[in-house]
Structures are given as structure tokens and as C-alpha cells.
Amino acid sequence: GAVVSQHPSRVICKSGTSVKIECRSLDFQATTMFWYRQFPKQSLMLMATSNEGSKATYEQGVEKDKFLINHASLTLSTLTVTSAHPEDSSFYICSARDLRGPGANVLTFGAGSRLTVL
Amino acid sequence: DAKTTQPPSMDCAEGRAANLPCNHSTISGNEYVYWYRQIHSQGPQYIIHGLKNNETNEMASLIITEDRKSSTLILPHATLRDTAVYYCIVRVATGTASKLTFGTGTRLQVTL
């Protein structure tokens, strides 16, 4: 089945620095990817929709200048948390859909990236 | 997307069937019922989905009521590894930008 890979799985950074998280679709192309954020003991919250070759669409309340999304190829989307602060510490998860075959309507999720900002 | 209601938590003995209910009384005719689960500190995992007929795969069975206002996910023989948060999501299946909106889910604890 479709596989979505995220890197890094864990990252610790100092306050004020920027962190980039990569999301790759393996063995399939994804024109659209979704980025979620999850705080401890809470559900997943959709942050933005990443569109290949165009600007991302952000959900209400998500700062686009703080969470930069780049979807430069059909297999890679990146999320950059700029000037990270402790309140940005969270579990970031991406997802994508392989439009081929019987799994075309199923979103596949990456394993997540845990960001800790000191 | 239609809103869903799930019990916050359930327990199940290992080896027994786990039946997880979901209410989606405002579901539209073109909306599917999806089930995902999330094991601690991992990304969500797809389980099963259906429109109106009951569905079964190697992981679970999905029973959808005739009026489609509720459904039940059945794990026929629960194991400790099935301990997770289970999310019932209703959404339109088509469209590349069709996104998933997660509710609070049901935390299933499988015990010995």
C-alpha cells in the first residue's frame, strides 16, 4: 500500500530557531498533502493543505508566516516552523492520498514528527 | 463534513470482540464513513470505510445502519496491540483536496 515518510521523527531545538519537517510520498505522486498538529491528549487538528506548484491553503487561526509550507515536487512537501517557541512544541503529522487503484479515497499518514522547543 | 459522536473510552478483554459505536445522524447521501486509529505517538492508521453496505477486511468489519445515521466498527478478536484511539470520520470520498477532520475519538483499552 501507499507509504508516507516523515523526517525527522524527533527534533529538539532552541527557542527562536527554525525547524524543517519533510513529508515524502513513497512510490506514488501526491499533488495534495495535508499537515496536522496534535498536542498531548488532544485530537489531530488540520493546519494546512499543501498544493504542488501553488500556495498552501491554511486553516483558520494558523499563521502562514510562521508555518511555511513548500510543495515543490509531486513527492515532497515541507513544513518549516519559523522562529519556534515552546508553545510550538507538538506532534506534526502529514498525510497524502495515492489516487491510483482501490486505495484512491484513503488518506495515508506519516509516522509524525515530534518537535520540542526549549 | 457531518459531525460524529463517539464514546470517549471503552474497555475490551483480549480475545473478545470490540464493538465501537459512532453516531453520524447528519450524514449526507454522498458521505462515506471512515475509521482510523492512532496508536500512541504514531500517525493515524486507516482501518476501513464504507458508504451504506457493511464492509469487512483483514482488520475489521464495519456495520452501517440502514438509515446510515450510525455505524459500528468491530474488531473480531481484540489483542493488546489494538489499544489505541479510534476515530470515526464522515466525509465525501472524492476530490483530491478532500480532507479529514478528526473528532475526539474513542480510546480503546484492551486488557488481559
Side-chain angles (χ1 to χ4, degrees):
Chain A
V3 177
V4 173
S5 174
Q6 274 187 251
H7 178 81
S9 58
R10 291 178 181 271
V11 57
I12 301 173
C13 71
K14 293 181 179 180
S15 185
T17 61
S18 295
V19 174
K20 180 184 288 187
I21 300 170
E22 294 185 346
C23 178
R24 293 182 183 273
S25 56
L26 305 184
D27 299 329
F28 72 98
Q29 295 179 335
T31 56
T32 303
M33 292 184 176
F34 302 94
W35 286 95
Y36 291 82
R37 178 170 56 182
Q38 185 176 34
F39 293 108
K41 297 187 178 181
Q42 294 186 23
S43 187
L44 286 81
M45 295 294 296
L46 180 65
M47 297 176 66
T49 301
S50 174
N51 304 300
E52 188 270 333
S54 65
K55 292 182 179 180
T57 305
Y58 291 82
E59 296 297 305
Q60 190 173 8
V62 177
E63 300 175 58
K64 62 180 181 180
D65 294 331
K66 182 166 185 63
F67 299 100
L68 301 179
I69 291 173
N70 186 358
H71 196 150
S73 78
L74 287 171
T75 59
L76 174 64
S77 174
T78 60
L79 168 68
T80 300
V81 183
T82 62
S83 186
H85 291 285
E87 58 266 30
D88 298 322
S89 298
S90 189
F91 193 47
Y92 293 88
I93 310 167
C94 71
S95 65
R97 183 182 291 112
D98 184 353
L99 297 178
R100 306 166 301 175
N105 292 319
V106 173
L107 267 181
T108 299
F109 287 81
S113 300
R114 186 164 300 284
L115 170 63
T116 302
V117 184
L118 302 177
Chain B
D1 294 340
K3 183 178 179 180
T4 61
T5 304
Q6 297 178 253
S9 64
M10 293 182 65
D11 292 331
C12 178
E14 188 176 35
R16 304 296 294 269
N19 298 295
L20 292 91
C22 179
N23 287 324
H24 32 79
S25 58
T26 60
I27 190 170
S28 299
N30 62 344
E31 290 181 312
Y32 286 67
V33 180
Y34 284 77
W35 283 85
Y36 282 76
R37 72 180 182 184
Q38 186 179 25
I39 296 170
H40 183 61
S41 294
Q42 297 183 23
Q45 176 190 23
Y46 165 79
I47 302 173
I48 199 167
H49 75 285
L51 182 62
K52 52 184 177 181
N53 297 324
N54 297 337
E55 302 287 344
T56 296
N57 62 20
E58 64 278 5
M59 290 182 68
S61 294
L62 173 60
I63 308 298
I64 303 174
T65 58
E66 191 170 344
D67 62 8
R68 302 208 322 122
K69 293 185 177 182
S70 66
S71 61
T72 301
L73 177 74
I74 301 173
L75 308 178
H77 304 287
T79 70
L80 296 177
R81 289 178 296 179
D82 292 322
T83 293
V85 178
Y86 287 76
Y87 296 98
C88 168
I89 302 166
V90 174
R91 62 175 275 270
V92 176
T94 58
T96 57
S98 186
K99 54 195 177 186
L100 283 179
T101 302
F102 286 80
T104 54
T106 296
R107 184 172 299 277
L108 176 68
Q109 180 69 52
V110 181
T111 58
L112 291 172

